[in-house]
Amino acid sequence: MNVATPSVLNLTELLSRVDNDRELVRELFCIFKSVFPSHLQRLSDAVAKEVPQQVEAESHALKGMLLNLSAARAAAMADELEKLGRERKIAGVKEAFIEFQSAAETLLLHMESVESQR
Amino acid sequence: MKILIADDDPISRRLLEKTLQRAGYDVVAVPNGMAAAKQLCVQDGPRLALLDWEMPELDGPAVCREVRKRKDQGYVYMILLTSKGLKTDIVTGLSSGADDYLTKPFDSGELKARLRTGERILHLEGRLVEARENMRFKATHDSLTSLFNRGVIVELLGREISRSRRERVPTAILLCDVDHFKSVNDSHGHLIGDEVLQEAARRLLLSVRSYDYVGRYGGEEFLIILNNCDPVSAPRRAEEIRKSLSDTPVQTSIGPLSVTLSMGVHQTENWGPRSVEELLHEVDGAMYAAKAAGRNRISFTKPDISSGADQFAPTEPAQSLG
């Protein structure tokens, strides 16, 4: 087990943040699933067009949402993309985006798993 | 307490909204900085605010700067809430006028504790404003009757005469003196005299409109300014004011006392070049004429409006009522 790897979804931490309100967790997941595709599309466009300012802005917005959801792994990857954008770097952005996309897909699966357990 | 949340991230906004509602706050949530600035700059807007840094239209620091430009409203305690966490960001945020700074994701215990700090500061500001207002009231009002004091009522008279001249609208000046007040004090003591003055003040205030002015001019003298009072209405209104005291005895702690007023009235819109002091001298003359004519009555001055700039109207009463 790699202890340095951030968790996909730290449900304990999230529940603590919302005073154990599972209904609110469900609502937050629902909000995330509704707004995430458009953010991801804009980030994808920015990466494809190599516009670092837009990469920075979109990944910053995604990082904020993911941190609130205690989705540390995807948040860390969004943070990496944000840093590359802030430093106006093009090299490595596409690779970082692919990793982020993969982490986000895993997160969505975890969310569905958590919801189905209820 | 009302609190504003401004965050373009719907997850953060909902999370904060729910957390603060649970903590007993009355939450107003908006999705951008422009809406936040609008809410915070209205007179009865929220006094506590949690502002995201990155927002469309106006960002969090810009909202802080907008709110701090306003000097005519109570203090707004603002906390910037963002995933920016560098020292330079903190300095920038606080320099924009924010009071505090929290990084996302927030800890609800820390958030509530910091909001309580904000509430303490707002409460302290409320007490300071209250103390300042009390001092302002004491500096402008007579301590016995709570009417305007002499300095303020004379200043208001000056302003009103200027307005009357400028807009050519009539104004009436009424100088009232409680009849035989010295004998009230001599016979019943100063405490009873004070009760009479307080009740007289109360009745005078009740007998004028909200935009007229009543002040304590001297010991038992009251000065009343009736704005936009035409020549037909002035005698009627002066008579109503006189009767407000004479018609019903004043209830004091030693029983009812019959109290009357003598009144001098000066009414016109054509004041000529007279100073406030000269006008007061004239109306004072009319008031003494009412006394001389038997008290409990009204005397009017008769301004000579056709005369030149340095002419003075006689102070003899033109008519008496009562």
Side-chain angles (χ1 to χ4, degrees):
Chain A
M1 183 184 168
N2 183 358
V3 290
T5 306
S7 67
V8 175
L9 181 64
N10 187 338
L11 194 58
T12 311
E13 183 186 276
L14 178 57
L15 282 169
S16 157
R17 185 171 301 128
V18 299
D19 293 332
N20 227 29
D21 183 346
R22 286 180 178 271
E23 192 55 39
L24 180 57
V25 168
R26 196 193 60 79
E27 191 186 338
L28 296 178
F29 284 179
C30 185
I31 294 171
F32 179 75
K33 283 189 272 186
S34 70
V35 298
F36 177 69
S38 57
H39 279 285
L40 187 70
Q41 186 58 54
R42 285 197 292 272
L43 180 58
S44 173
D45 291 346
V47 170
K49 290 175 187 168
E50 299 183 345
V51 186
Q53 293 94 330
Q54 202 180 330
V55 170
E56 182 189 2
E58 283 301 331
S59 49
H60 175 80
L62 284 162
K63 183 181 77 175
M65 287 186 228
L66 294 162
L67 286 172
N68 275 322
L69 293 173
S70 294
R73 188 181 299 173
M77 286 170 188
D79 185 51
E80 185 58 32
L81 275 166
E82 185 187 357
K83 275 182 197 154
L84 290 170
R86 191 186 307 128
E87 291 162 9
R88 305 293 181 252
K89 285 183 180 168
I90 302 300
V93 170
K94 280 181 183 155
E95 293 77 7
F97 175 69
I98 290 165
E99 278 191 49
F100 171 74
Q101 210 172 6
S102 163
E105 279 165 13
T106 310
L107 171 65
L108 289 168
L109 287 173
H110 267 71
M111 284 178 172
E112 279 176 25
S113 164
V114 167
E115 286 181 302
S116 67
Q117 282 167 22
R118 292 181 65 250
Chain B
M1 182 168 206
K2 202 186 272 188
I3 185 167
L4 178 94
I5 298 166
D7 200 327
D8 60 328
D9 170 0
I11 292 174
S12 178
R13 199 165 62 238
R14 181 66 185 128
L15 195 51
L16 285 166
E17 187 179 30
K18 194 79 179 178
T19 303
L20 296 177
Q21 279 171 345
R22 276 202 196 101
Y25 289 97
D26 177 11
V27 181
V28 179
V30 295
N32 62 63
M34 200 66 91
K38 200 173 170 185
Q39 286 277 343
L40 294 174
C41 290
V42 297
Q43 201 58 39
D44 295 318
R47 306 278 308 280
L48 265 178
L50 278 172
L51 307 168
D52 186 29
W53 186 300
E54 302 271 353
M55 284 189 287
E57 299 182 55
L58 271 186
D59 64 14
V63 174
C64 292
R65 282 191 290 273
E66 279 301 309
V67 173
R68 293 292 178 245
K69 277 185 202 165
R70 297 285 303 259
K71 306 289 181 200
D72 56 343
Q73 63 182 63
Y75 194 75
V76 180
Y77 191 90
M78 294 180 284
I79 300 177
L80 280 173
L81 189 64
T82 174
S83 47
K84 285 174 179 276
L86 299 174
K87 289 279 180 200
T88 50
D89 293 331
I90 296 170
V91 172
T92 306
L94 295 178
S95 302
S96 71
D99 296 284
D100 203 352
Y101 192 97
L102 267 176
T103 49
K104 288 181 183 176
F106 67 87
D107 174 83
S108 66
E110 185 183 0
L111 172 68
K112 286 177 220 168
R114 285 177 189 263
L115 286 173
R116 280 195 293 274
T117 303
E119 284 186 66
R120 280 200 297 274
I121 286 173
L122 292 176
H123 180 66
L124 181 64
E125 193 227 7
R127 284 170 53 193
L128 287 170
V129 168
E130 194 182 329
R132 184 192 67 194
E133 290 308 309
N134 282 342
M135 284 169 69
R136 183 180 292 173
F137 187 87
K138 282 178 183 168
T140 54
H141 290 73
D142 170 56
S143 60
L144 178 68
T145 61
S146 294
L147 295 177
F148 288 126
N149 63 26
R150 183 188 174 108
V152 172
I153 193 70
V154 170
E155 189 185 324
L156 287 169
L157 176 62
R159 280 194 219 166
E160 193 48 38
I161 296 301
S162 298
R163 191 183 73 88
S164 175
R165 279 187 178 121
R166 195 172 57 247
E167 297 176 10
R168 298 200 65 78
V169 290
T171 293
I173 311 169
L174 284 62
L175 185 61
C176 315
D177 188 275
V178 177
D179 295 326
H180 303 296
F181 184 69
K182 187 176 180 300
S183 68
V184 173
N185 274 341
D186 291 345
S187 311
H188 307 294
H190 285 89
L191 290 178
I192 301 304
D194 286 352
E195 288 179 28
V196 167
L197 290 176
Q198 284 171 326
E199 178 59 14
R202 195 184 70 81
R203 292 194 196 177
L204 293 180
L205 209 51
L206 285 174
S207 59
V208 300
R209 301 161 300 181
S210 59
Y211 48 92
D212 293 326
Y213 301 117
V214 183
R216 188 175 177 195
Y217 187 65
E220 68 269 29
E221 288 182 332
F222 299 96
L223 185 61
I224 301 174
I225 306 162
L226 303 177
N227 307 301
N228 297 332
C229 187
D230 61 62
V232 178
S233 306
R236 177 180 55 76
R237 296 202 49 211
E239 182 63 3
E240 285 168 3
I241 291 167
R242 185 190 66 77
K243 288 172 83 176
S244 74
L245 206 61
S246 64
D247 277 6
T248 314
V250 171
Q251 292 298 328
T252 69
S253 40
I254 56 151
L257 287 179
S258 183
V259 179
T260 59
L261 289 175
S262 293
M263 195 186 297
V265 178
H266 201 337
Q267 187 280 326
T268 185
E269 73 274 12
N270 192 351
W271 300 99
R274 295 172 182 85
S275 68
V276 167
E277 289 74 21
E278 287 165 340
L279 290 169
L280 284 168
H281 179 70
E282 288 175 25
V283 78
D284 194 43
M287 192 266 288
Y288 275 102
K291 291 267 185 202
R295 293 185 172 83
N296 190 23
R297 68 194 59 227
I298 301 164
S299 287
F300 292 83
T301 62
K302 196 174 186 183
D304 183 1
I305 58 173
S306 60
S307 59
D310 56 354
Q311 297 296 307
F312 286 82
T315 56
E316 286 79 17
Q319 55 176 305
S320 293
L321 296 168

